[in-house]
Amino acid sequence: DHDWWVLNYNWLIDDLIKLSGIKGKSKRSRFLDIGSGPGLFLDVARSRGIDALGIEPSTDAFKYSKKRYNCNVLNTTLEKLDSSVGKFDYIVSYLVMEHILDPFYFLSKAKKFLTKNGLICIVVPNDFNPIQKINIQLGKKEWWVSPKDHLNYFNSKSLKKLFENVGLRILYENVTFPIDLFLLMGQDYITDPGLGAKCHDMRKTLEFNLNSTGSEKFKEDLYKAFSKLNIGRELVIIGKRV
């Protein structure tokens, strides 16, 4: 999935640059990835000329990202991070906050590391959404509920409320592809991992084709339509520190 992740990370960076208006300025922008995992997002940001730092609590992921991408990454958590790292124009936390004990504290502390008018992007699973509820009516179990891994479950309303309570002004809301649609087409990837890989490949093919044909605006409009229906698999919210 390397090339697919690179495409999606670049799309997200495009959104951040567009919203910040920082493009073309002499100052080199700074980027913090909270929960940087194997380091690919950091590598993509660095390839765009951005000064990128990651924090990753997993020792294995930390070591891999250093070895594979030679990333600038700290083996720590946001809770332990101090002001010596400085401020950042962009902060991203991708599929992390559903694992966090206290999302309000997490987002509040992340905000402290933003420059004035800096942007923070949170991506979390979009759970208990309409497609999932329809599948429950069809006899599926709540397959997205993962008590040992996910401590929090978000929808658009609750995530935006969290941003507002922390004092972040929401600039952008979108979703990722609603892969649960395949279940409504009879493609039961929950019980058949091989089928899951096939559905994922079809989603990737869609996005690669949209990119290769210069159809980014159509892709954005399509996904925003998904967002209005609250049916994307993950929520993407970008807020601004003011």
PDB file of all heavy atoms in Angstrom, residues 200-215:
ATOM      1  N   HIS A 200     -10.373  -3.462  -0.812  1.00  0.00           N
ATOM      2  CA  HIS A 200      -9.400  -2.394  -0.590  1.00  0.00           C
ATOM      3  C   HIS A 200      -8.685  -2.051  -1.896  1.00  0.00           C
ATOM      4  O   HIS A 200      -8.458  -0.865  -2.206  1.00  0.00           O
ATOM      5  CB  HIS A 200      -8.406  -2.829   0.477  1.00  0.00           C
ATOM      6  CG  HIS A 200      -7.320  -1.836   0.743  1.00  0.00           C
ATOM      7  ND1 HIS A 200      -7.572  -0.530   1.121  1.00  0.00           N
ATOM      8  CD2 HIS A 200      -5.972  -1.948   0.675  1.00  0.00           C
ATOM      9  CE1 HIS A 200      -6.425   0.116   1.277  1.00  0.00           C
ATOM     10  NE2 HIS A 200      -5.441  -0.726   1.012  1.00  0.00           N
ATOM     11  N   ASP A 201      -8.335  -3.065  -2.684  1.00  0.00           N
ATOM     12  CA  ASP A 201      -7.672  -2.818  -3.970  1.00  0.00           C
ATOM     13  C   ASP A 201      -8.576  -2.031  -4.914  1.00  0.00           C
ATOM     14  O   ASP A 201      -8.103  -1.173  -5.672  1.00  0.00           O
ATOM     15  CB  ASP A 201      -7.274  -4.139  -4.619  1.00  0.00           C
ATOM     16  CG  ASP A 201      -6.042  -4.765  -3.981  1.00  0.00           C
ATOM     17  OD1 ASP A 201      -5.319  -4.042  -3.267  1.00  0.00           O
ATOM     18  OD2 ASP A 201      -5.804  -5.969  -4.202  1.00  0.00           O
ATOM     19  N   MET A 202      -9.878  -2.302  -4.868  1.00  0.00           N
ATOM     20  CA  MET A 202     -10.819  -1.563  -5.715  1.00  0.00           C
ATOM     21  C   MET A 202     -10.886  -0.103  -5.293  1.00  0.00           C
ATOM     22  O   MET A 202     -10.932   0.800  -6.142  1.00  0.00           O
ATOM     23  CB  MET A 202     -12.192  -2.218  -5.639  1.00  0.00           C
ATOM     24  CG  MET A 202     -12.247  -3.589  -6.297  1.00  0.00           C
ATOM     25  SD  MET A 202     -13.809  -4.448  -6.036  1.00  0.00           S
ATOM     26  CE  MET A 202     -14.914  -3.479  -7.052  1.00  0.00           C
ATOM     27  N   ARG A 203     -10.888   0.126  -3.980  1.00  0.00           N
ATOM     28  CA  ARG A 203     -10.865   1.520  -3.496  1.00  0.00           C
ATOM     29  C   ARG A 203      -9.586   2.221  -3.934  1.00  0.00           C
ATOM     30  O   ARG A 203      -9.611   3.376  -4.368  1.00  0.00           O
ATOM     31  CB  ARG A 203     -11.003   1.516  -1.969  1.00  0.00           C
ATOM     32  CG  ARG A 203     -10.986   2.892  -1.319  1.00  0.00           C
ATOM     33  CD  ARG A 203      -9.653   3.197  -0.642  1.00  0.00           C
ATOM     34  NE  ARG A 203      -9.381   2.324   0.459  1.00  0.00           N
ATOM     35  CZ  ARG A 203      -9.776   2.535   1.719  1.00  0.00           C
ATOM     36  NH1 ARG A 203     -10.483   3.614   2.017  1.00  0.00           N
ATOM     37  NH2 ARG A 203      -9.453   1.691   2.664  1.00  0.00           N
ATOM     38  N   LYS A 204      -8.449   1.533  -3.837  1.00  0.00           N
ATOM     39  CA  LYS A 204      -7.184   2.118  -4.265  1.00  0.00           C
ATOM     40  C   LYS A 204      -7.210   2.446  -5.755  1.00  0.00           C
ATOM     41  O   LYS A 204      -6.738   3.520  -6.171  1.00  0.00           O
ATOM     42  CB  LYS A 204      -6.021   1.174  -3.964  1.00  0.00           C
ATOM     43  CG  LYS A 204      -5.683   1.024  -2.498  1.00  0.00           C
ATOM     44  CD  LYS A 204      -4.327   0.377  -2.282  1.00  0.00           C
ATOM     45  CE  LYS A 204      -4.237  -0.992  -2.856  1.00  0.00           C
ATOM     46  NZ  LYS A 204      -2.917  -1.621  -2.629  1.00  0.00           N
ATOM     47  N   THR A 205      -7.741   1.521  -6.562  1.00  0.00           N
ATOM     48  CA  THR A 205      -7.813   1.743  -8.004  1.00  0.00           C
ATOM     49  C   THR A 205      -8.626   2.985  -8.327  1.00  0.00           C
ATOM     50  O   THR A 205      -8.252   3.793  -9.190  1.00  0.00           O
ATOM     51  CB  THR A 205      -8.424   0.517  -8.701  1.00  0.00           C
ATOM     52  OG1 THR A 205      -7.592  -0.618  -8.461  1.00  0.00           O
ATOM     53  CG2 THR A 205      -8.542   0.744 -10.206  1.00  0.00           C
ATOM     54  N   LEU A 206      -9.741   3.157  -7.628  1.00  0.00           N
ATOM     55  CA  LEU A 206     -10.561   4.362  -7.801  1.00  0.00           C
ATOM     56  C   LEU A 206      -9.728   5.613  -7.568  1.00  0.00           C
ATOM     57  O   LEU A 206      -9.725   6.544  -8.395  1.00  0.00           O
ATOM     58  CB  LEU A 206     -11.749   4.332  -6.842  1.00  0.00           C
ATOM     59  CG  LEU A 206     -12.520   5.645  -6.671  1.00  0.00           C
ATOM     60  CD1 LEU A 206     -13.277   5.995  -7.946  1.00  0.00           C
ATOM     61  CD2 LEU A 206     -13.465   5.584  -5.483  1.00  0.00           C
ATOM     62  N   GLU A 207      -9.002   5.656  -6.465  1.00  0.00           N
ATOM     63  CA  GLU A 207      -8.272   6.875  -6.107  1.00  0.00           C
ATOM     64  C   GLU A 207      -7.066   7.094  -7.005  1.00  0.00           C
ATOM     65  O   GLU A 207      -6.749   8.245  -7.370  1.00  0.00           O
ATOM     66  CB  GLU A 207      -7.888   6.819  -4.630  1.00  0.00           C
ATOM     67  CG  GLU A 207      -9.126   6.829  -3.747  1.00  0.00           C
ATOM     68  CD  GLU A 207      -8.854   6.934  -2.262  1.00  0.00           C
ATOM     69  OE1 GLU A 207      -7.713   6.627  -1.832  1.00  0.00           O
ATOM     70  OE2 GLU A 207      -9.772   7.313  -1.532  1.00  0.00           O
ATOM     71  N   PHE A 208      -6.382   6.019  -7.401  1.00  0.00           N
ATOM     72  CA  PHE A 208      -5.283   6.172  -8.354  1.00  0.00           C
ATOM     73  C   PHE A 208      -5.794   6.709  -9.696  1.00  0.00           C
ATOM     74  O   PHE A 208      -5.157   7.558 -10.326  1.00  0.00           O
ATOM     75  CB  PHE A 208      -4.574   4.832  -8.575  1.00  0.00           C
ATOM     76  CG  PHE A 208      -3.613   4.460  -7.487  1.00  0.00           C
ATOM     77  CD1 PHE A 208      -3.630   3.182  -6.943  1.00  0.00           C
ATOM     78  CD2 PHE A 208      -2.668   5.363  -7.012  1.00  0.00           C
ATOM     79  CE1 PHE A 208      -2.745   2.817  -5.938  1.00  0.00           C
ATOM     80  CE2 PHE A 208      -1.773   5.015  -6.015  1.00  0.00           C
ATOM     81  CZ  PHE A 208      -1.807   3.736  -5.475  1.00  0.00           C
ATOM     82  N   ASN A 209      -6.942   6.211 -10.151  1.00  0.00           N
ATOM     83  CA  ASN A 209      -7.498   6.675 -11.423  1.00  0.00           C
ATOM     84  C   ASN A 209      -7.928   8.135 -11.356  1.00  0.00           C
ATOM     85  O   ASN A 209      -7.742   8.899 -12.316  1.00  0.00           O
ATOM     86  CB  ASN A 209      -8.678   5.799 -11.840  1.00  0.00           C
ATOM     87  CG  ASN A 209      -8.251   4.443 -12.372  1.00  0.00           C
ATOM     88  OD1 ASN A 209      -7.126   4.285 -12.831  1.00  0.00           O
ATOM     89  ND2 ASN A 209      -9.133   3.454 -12.303  1.00  0.00           N
ATOM     90  N   LEU A 210      -8.511   8.541 -10.232  1.00  0.00           N
ATOM     91  CA  LEU A 210      -8.892   9.945 -10.073  1.00  0.00           C
ATOM     92  C   LEU A 210      -7.659  10.838 -10.090  1.00  0.00           C
ATOM     93  O   LEU A 210      -7.666  11.934 -10.674  1.00  0.00           O
ATOM     94  CB  LEU A 210      -9.668  10.126  -8.764  1.00  0.00           C
ATOM     95  CG  LEU A 210     -11.063   9.494  -8.712  1.00  0.00           C
ATOM     96  CD1 LEU A 210     -11.658   9.627  -7.320  1.00  0.00           C
ATOM     97  CD2 LEU A 210     -11.991  10.125  -9.751  1.00  0.00           C
ATOM     98  N   ASN A 211      -6.575  10.368  -9.472  1.00  0.00           N
ATOM     99  CA  ASN A 211      -5.350  11.158  -9.433  1.00  0.00           C
ATOM    100  C   ASN A 211      -4.690  11.231 -10.811  1.00  0.00           C
ATOM    101  O   ASN A 211      -4.282  12.311 -11.252  1.00  0.00           O
ATOM    102  CB  ASN A 211      -4.384  10.550  -8.422  1.00  0.00           C
ATOM    103  CG  ASN A 211      -3.089  11.327  -8.325  1.00  0.00           C
ATOM    104  OD1 ASN A 211      -3.061  12.467  -7.880  1.00  0.00           O
ATOM    105  ND2 ASN A 211      -1.991  10.715  -8.746  1.00  0.00           N
ATOM    106  N   SER A 212      -4.595  10.098 -11.502  1.00  0.00           N
ATOM    107  CA  SER A 212      -3.870  10.057 -12.775  1.00  0.00           C
ATOM    108  C   SER A 212      -4.576  10.844 -13.877  1.00  0.00           C
ATOM    109  O   SER A 212      -3.951  11.269 -14.851  1.00  0.00           O
ATOM    110  CB  SER A 212      -3.671   8.610 -13.228  1.00  0.00           C
ATOM    111  OG  SER A 212      -4.910   8.003 -13.563  1.00  0.00           O
ATOM    112  N   THR A 213      -5.881  11.060 -13.721  1.00  0.00           N
ATOM    113  CA  THR A 213      -6.641  11.814 -14.729  1.00  0.00           C
ATOM    114  C   THR A 213      -6.830  13.281 -14.340  1.00  0.00           C
ATOM    115  O   THR A 213      -7.579  14.007 -14.999  1.00  0.00           O
ATOM    116  CB  THR A 213      -8.027  11.165 -14.943  1.00  0.00           C
ATOM    117  OG1 THR A 213      -8.725  11.095 -13.696  1.00  0.00           O
ATOM    118  CG2 THR A 213      -7.886   9.769 -15.520  1.00  0.00           C
ATOM    119  N   GLY A 214      -6.173  13.701 -13.257  1.00  0.00           N
ATOM    120  CA  GLY A 214      -6.308  15.094 -12.834  1.00  0.00           C
ATOM    121  C   GLY A 214      -7.685  15.430 -12.304  1.00  0.00           C
ATOM    122  O   GLY A 214      -8.132  16.583 -12.408  1.00  0.00           O
ATOM    123  N   SER A 215      -8.346  14.430 -11.720  1.00  0.00           N
ATOM    124  CA  SER A 215      -9.735  14.607 -11.268  1.00  0.00           C
ATOM    125  C   SER A 215      -9.831  14.873  -9.761  1.00  0.00           C
ATOM    126  O   SER A 215     -10.781  14.435  -9.116  1.00  0.00           O
ATOM    127  CB  SER A 215     -10.555  13.364 -11.637  1.00  0.00           C
ATOM    128  OG  SER A 215     -10.504  13.098 -13.011  1.00  0.00           O
TER     129      SER A 215
END
